[in-house]
Amino acid sequence: MKALILAGGKGTRLWPLSREAMPKQFIKVFSDRSLFQKTVERALIFSKPKEIFVVTNKEYRFRVLDDLNELGLKVPEENILLEPVGKNTLPAIYWGLKVINDNYGDSVVAVLPSDHAIEVNESYMEAFKKAEKLAEKYLVTFGIKPTKPHTGYGYIKPGEKIEVEGKVLGYLVDEFKEKPDLETARKYVENGYYWNSGMFMFKVSVFMEEARKHSPDVVKAFEEGKSIEEIYELAPEISVDYGIMEKTNKAAVVPLNTYWNDLGSFDAVYEALEKDENGNAVHVTGFKAKYINVDSRNNLVLTERLTATVGVEDLVIIDTGDALLVAKRGETQKVKEVYKKLKEENDERAIVHRTAYRPWGSYTVLEEGERYKIKRLTVLPGKRLSLQIHYHRSEHWVVVRGTAKVKVGDKEFILRPGESTFIPAGVPHRLENPGKVILEVIETQIGEYLGEDDIVRLQDDYGR
Amino acid sequence: MKALILAGGKGTRLWPLSREAMPKQFIKVFSDRSLFQKTVERALIFSKPKEIFVVTNKEYRFRVLDDLNELGLKVPEENILLEPVGKNTLPAIYWGLKVINDNYGDSVVAVLPSDHAIEVNESYMEAFKKAEKLAEKYLVTFGIKPTKPHTGYGYIKPGEKIEVEGKVLGYLVDEFKEKPDLETARKYVENGYYWNSGMFMFKVSVFMEEARKHSPDVVKAFEEGKSIEEIYELAPEISVDYGIMEKTNKAAVVPLNTYWNDLGSFDAVYEALEKDENGNAVHVTGFKAKYINVDSRNNLVLTERLTATVGVEDLVIIDTGDALLVAKRGETQKVKEVYKKLKEENDERAIVHRTAYRPWGSYTVLEEGERYKIKRLTVLPGKRLSLQIHYHRSEHWVVVRGTAKVKVGDKEFILRPGESTFIPAGVPHRLENPGKVILEVIETQIGEYLGEDDIVRLQDDYGR
């Protein structure tokens, strides 16, 4: 079985926890593994590393590479398909299956979204084995057995059962249902409908035939486009559900009885996390951060600082150091309006976190003021930043941890913890970690203009 | 008329806005003048600068001096009475009146708390003039005409009217009433009771006589103690209300019809501030800070960062950069429990803000991590820090604004914006602002131990 992981989602509903440059599949708030990494681990149950393919946005290339690298996995870089622009799930899946077909011929492929939470249990293992068999003839969806009449999920109405060699492997899909109101959701659950998990099992040949039948414009884009940019320009923006699954008569559903949560809003995140005796789901990270609760109940509190709540109930409180969100539980779908407003105002906090990831490591903006900006740079062992010049700012580097090799103008020297150097504006410079452990540097920038775009790269190891 | 300003309050109910080292009378959140400064301005209506006396805690000496200095006022430093420990209002007032008597003989003194909001209008001016006359025979309180049946204030029941030369100057006090429940408060308002404002007008001789009668242990402490430390050790902790006003038969009340608010909790602060069309009282400060409101009503939002609220009502949201409070309006009296917990845990954030004030200026802790701490130092023109040594940390100074004169070991030199220097652990050093404008320096400390107490002062301009 091959695996195709969908990792191009932008996830604007969990702002400020996720940002455009770092969507929820890559953040590590809920555990020390990202949701993407956990999806890769699930794919490894049935597939070898080289049989795992990823479709993502070109912006997320280093996120995917870093996450795979951290897992110590040798997924070939050709298996990572970089979309020039997001066109929803159908073009992404079509591309992925086409590449898998080119590499391995006609194959059965598990299609896995990478931003959900799901538990692997016996039912999961069995369902995937059943789905693999069914995929020879059907386009297979996975239907989660509901634990309550949830109004935030789509539902699948199962039809006639499909037996193979005297064993029920699944059901024909009678109908896909949009998110219902509460009363309708109750009826769905009573009548044995399933939650639509967004996972699929497709055999390439079966899928391609149905794609040609129901979404010929997608197929045409891939046949006529001469480059992936051209293909994605031609392709319509369309989901696999709308473009194929709801139209084909080959849709089948395999029931799956396990914990599943789409983490599609902070309400869903609250549901997914463990609660204390007062019903509070609390997650505190960061230096000197802590949470003090006075008479507060049923809140979601994710914070990087000292946070106190007094007498509040049913709130979502998200503090990411550079931004704070306080929302009413049950209304968190409106969080995307905050994101929209920030985008309208060209506020970069819609797009980036305090911490931004780079091929050489990461930097965190600790503080900004008029005429100064302070960053913590983390450089991975053996990596170096580009040889660069800034015209409008001087920079001051103080080493906190590790060993730095520094080039300033013609000079090259080593800095150890507690040592520092000064880079005047206009002077070429480079920071390198020649050591075996992480290098941490505090950078103070001073100048009239401190934008990230005041940079001229003279040489770069990453072709930027 | 002399003035005695009470400025020793610790104000734990407005945490994290106020802290033990910077209580609410000195913070400038509500305007560019502190409440203490506004009280001084009111005192100046009836008194000359040298007739204004201040009783405060010795910890707040520089807060009082800085605030007076900022107003350009020449209040003699001897007029600032520094209590070694807080013993509530009676010992403070007794001491103040005694010092005024030593300086000016028997005088009429306006006693003014410095942490309330009050508007000066015609009624205010008249009331003070009436009170001055009444003080010849009575211990005068000021009773605010209620605008609603407030349950957070004490009430005064007026008795027989006091006429002088055919003019009603005030009323005898029939009874002082504790904070009532809502129904009782309604009755009080219907029956013409007043809010107890905490302001007084006392003639020294009248006050001293009543003190001897009703609180002889306070008088005794002042007679027997040989130093102010000893006096305050002997004196009981007691309020002027309980110790004298509720017992004397010389209490009078002068009605005062103006805006008054004791700002005793965040509920009171919300009442005092202007609201937008959604009933939100919002105050945003800080670089790149802003507030985004999606469907939120009737909240108090005081923030230093990007803050968004979604669908919330009746909340108090206070963000001070280093700490966040989210409380339910109507339950903000419980905020002091947060403060208590922090004290129990020896958390310095009960006591100090990110910004700490020093005789030479101030510093703000921008960021702390393991092995590093970053501060912004602001040095006033002509001032300098002590000549000092740290044993456990090296320091790196980068000048952002202004001109620094720096001494490191034997060397002395000038640093301009964008320039920097390095102070190794164990080396004597000093930072000075020789210029005419503010000096701003970013300091990065690196070391195993970064506590404020790792400092040896070799010389200090302020006798520390």
Side-chain angles (χ1 to χ4, degrees), chain A residues 94-114:
Chain A
Y94 190 95
W95 189 20
L97 294 190
K98 195 170 164 294
V99 171
I100 290 173
N101 194 58
D102 293 347
N103 277 270
Y104 291 99
D106 196 8
S107 312
V108 173
V109 183
V111 176
L112 307 172
S114 63

Short mmCIF file of all heavy atoms in Angstrom, two decimals, chain A residues 94-114:
data_model
loop_
_atom_site.label_atom_id
_atom_site.label_comp_id
_atom_site.label_asym_id
_atom_site.label_seq_id
_atom_site.Cartn_x
_atom_site.Cartn_y
_atom_site.Cartn_z
N TYR A 94 -5.07 14.13 -7.44
CA TYR A 94 -4.85 13.69 -8.83
C TYR A 94 -3.35 13.67 -9.13
O TYR A 94 -2.81 12.69 -9.66
CB TYR A 94 -5.58 14.61 -9.80
CG TYR A 94 -5.58 14.09 -11.21
CD1 TYR A 94 -6.66 13.33 -11.68
CD2 TYR A 94 -4.51 14.32 -12.07
CE1 TYR A 94 -6.66 12.82 -12.98
CE2 TYR A 94 -4.50 13.81 -13.36
CZ TYR A 94 -5.58 13.06 -13.81
OH TYR A 94 -5.58 12.56 -15.08
N TRP A 95 -2.68 14.76 -8.76
CA TRP A 95 -1.23 14.85 -8.99
C TRP A 95 -0.48 13.73 -8.26
O TRP A 95 0.37 13.04 -8.82
CB TRP A 95 -0.72 16.24 -8.57
CG TRP A 95 0.72 16.49 -8.97
CD1 TRP A 95 1.44 15.84 -9.93
CD2 TRP A 95 1.58 17.49 -8.41
NE1 TRP A 95 2.71 16.38 -10.01
CE2 TRP A 95 2.83 17.38 -9.09
CE3 TRP A 95 1.43 18.46 -7.43
CZ2 TRP A 95 3.91 18.22 -8.79
CZ3 TRP A 95 2.51 19.29 -7.14
CH2 TRP A 95 3.74 19.17 -7.82
N GLY A 96 -0.82 13.57 -7.00
CA GLY A 96 -0.15 12.55 -6.19
C GLY A 96 -0.31 11.16 -6.79
O GLY A 96 0.67 10.41 -6.93
N LEU A 97 -1.53 10.81 -7.18
CA LEU A 97 -1.77 9.47 -7.72
C LEU A 97 -1.05 9.28 -9.06
O LEU A 97 -0.54 8.19 -9.35
CB LEU A 97 -3.27 9.23 -7.90
CG LEU A 97 -4.10 9.19 -6.61
CD1 LEU A 97 -5.52 8.71 -6.90
CD2 LEU A 97 -3.46 8.28 -5.56
N LYS A 98 -0.98 10.36 -9.83
CA LYS A 98 -0.29 10.30 -11.12
C LYS A 98 1.20 10.02 -10.90
O LYS A 98 1.79 9.15 -11.57
CB LYS A 98 -0.47 11.64 -11.83
CG LYS A 98 -0.13 11.65 -13.31
CD LYS A 98 -0.59 12.97 -13.92
CE LYS A 98 0.06 13.19 -15.28
NZ LYS A 98 1.52 13.37 -15.21
N VAL A 99 1.81 10.69 -9.95
CA VAL A 99 3.24 10.49 -9.67
C VAL A 99 3.48 9.08 -9.13
O VAL A 99 4.45 8.41 -9.51
CB VAL A 99 3.76 11.56 -8.69
CG1 VAL A 99 5.18 11.22 -8.23
CG2 VAL A 99 3.73 12.95 -9.34
N ILE A 100 2.59 8.62 -8.27
CA ILE A 100 2.73 7.26 -7.73
C ILE A 100 2.63 6.25 -8.87
O ILE A 100 3.40 5.28 -8.95
CB ILE A 100 1.67 6.99 -6.64
CG1 ILE A 100 2.00 7.84 -5.39
CG2 ILE A 100 1.61 5.51 -6.27
CD1 ILE A 100 0.95 7.81 -4.30
N ASN A 101 1.69 6.49 -9.77
CA ASN A 101 1.54 5.61 -10.93
C ASN A 101 2.80 5.60 -11.80
O ASN A 101 3.25 4.55 -12.25
CB ASN A 101 0.33 6.07 -11.75
CG ASN A 101 -0.11 5.03 -12.75
OD1 ASN A 101 -0.43 3.89 -12.38
ND2 ASN A 101 -0.11 5.40 -14.03
N ASP A 102 3.39 6.78 -11.98
CA ASP A 102 4.63 6.87 -12.76
C ASP A 102 5.76 6.08 -12.11
O ASP A 102 6.61 5.50 -12.79
CB ASP A 102 5.08 8.34 -12.89
CG ASP A 102 4.12 9.16 -13.74
OD1 ASP A 102 3.26 8.55 -14.42
OD2 ASP A 102 4.19 10.41 -13.71
N ASN A 103 5.80 6.08 -10.78
CA ASN A 103 6.88 5.41 -10.04
C ASN A 103 6.64 3.92 -9.85
O ASN A 103 7.55 3.13 -9.96
CB ASN A 103 7.03 6.05 -8.66
CG ASN A 103 7.88 7.30 -8.68
OD1 ASN A 103 9.09 7.23 -8.53
ND2 ASN A 103 7.26 8.44 -8.94
N TYR A 104 5.40 3.57 -9.52
CA TYR A 104 5.13 2.20 -9.09
C TYR A 104 4.08 1.48 -9.94
O TYR A 104 3.71 0.37 -9.64
CB TYR A 104 4.65 2.21 -7.64
CG TYR A 104 5.74 2.59 -6.65
CD1 TYR A 104 5.85 3.88 -6.15
CD2 TYR A 104 6.67 1.62 -6.24
CE1 TYR A 104 6.85 4.21 -5.25
CE2 TYR A 104 7.67 1.95 -5.34
CZ TYR A 104 7.76 3.25 -4.84
OH TYR A 104 8.75 3.56 -3.96
N GLY A 105 3.55 2.13 -10.97
CA GLY A 105 2.45 1.53 -11.72
C GLY A 105 1.16 1.60 -10.91
O GLY A 105 1.11 2.22 -9.84
N ASP A 106 0.13 0.94 -11.43
CA ASP A 106 -1.20 1.00 -10.80
C ASP A 106 -1.12 0.46 -9.37
O ASP A 106 -0.75 -0.71 -9.17
CB ASP A 106 -2.18 0.18 -11.63
CG ASP A 106 -3.62 0.51 -11.28
OD1 ASP A 106 -3.83 1.47 -10.50
OD2 ASP A 106 -4.51 -0.20 -11.78
N SER A 107 -1.48 1.30 -8.38
CA SER A 107 -1.29 0.92 -6.97
C SER A 107 -2.49 1.33 -6.14
O SER A 107 -3.28 2.19 -6.56
CB SER A 107 -0.08 1.65 -6.36
OG SER A 107 1.04 1.57 -7.21
N VAL A 108 -2.62 0.72 -4.98
CA VAL A 108 -3.62 1.16 -4.02
C VAL A 108 -2.96 2.17 -3.08
O VAL A 108 -1.87 1.91 -2.56
CB VAL A 108 -4.18 -0.03 -3.22
CG1 VAL A 108 -5.10 0.45 -2.11
CG2 VAL A 108 -4.93 -0.98 -4.15
N VAL A 109 -3.64 3.31 -2.90
CA VAL A 109 -3.03 4.43 -2.16
C VAL A 109 -3.95 4.90 -1.03
O VAL A 109 -5.12 5.20 -1.27
CB VAL A 109 -2.77 5.63 -3.11
CG1 VAL A 109 -2.07 6.77 -2.36
CG2 VAL A 109 -1.96 5.19 -4.33
N ALA A 110 -3.40 4.97 0.17
CA ALA A 110 -4.14 5.58 1.29
C ALA A 110 -3.92 7.09 1.23
O ALA A 110 -2.78 7.54 1.20
CB ALA A 110 -3.62 5.05 2.63
N VAL A 111 -5.02 7.86 1.15
CA VAL A 111 -4.93 9.31 1.08
C VAL A 111 -5.24 9.87 2.47
O VAL A 111 -6.33 9.66 3.00
CB VAL A 111 -5.90 9.88 0.03
CG1 VAL A 111 -5.86 11.41 0.04
CG2 VAL A 111 -5.57 9.33 -1.35
N LEU A 112 -4.26 10.55 3.07
CA LEU A 112 -4.37 10.93 4.48
C LEU A 112 -4.22 12.44 4.69
O LEU A 112 -3.16 13.00 4.41
CB LEU A 112 -3.27 10.22 5.29
CG LEU A 112 -3.18 8.70 5.14
CD1 LEU A 112 -1.93 8.18 5.84
CD2 LEU A 112 -4.44 8.04 5.71
N PRO A 113 -5.26 13.12 5.17
CA PRO A 113 -5.09 14.51 5.59
C PRO A 113 -4.12 14.54 6.76
O PRO A 113 -4.07 13.59 7.55
CB PRO A 113 -6.48 14.96 6.05
CG PRO A 113 -7.42 13.87 5.65
CD PRO A 113 -6.61 12.63 5.49
N SER A 114 -3.36 15.61 6.88
CA SER A 114 -2.32 15.61 7.92
C SER A 114 -2.64 16.55 9.08
O SER A 114 -1.78 16.83 9.90
CB SER A 114 -0.98 16.03 7.30
OG SER A 114 -1.07 17.34 6.80
#
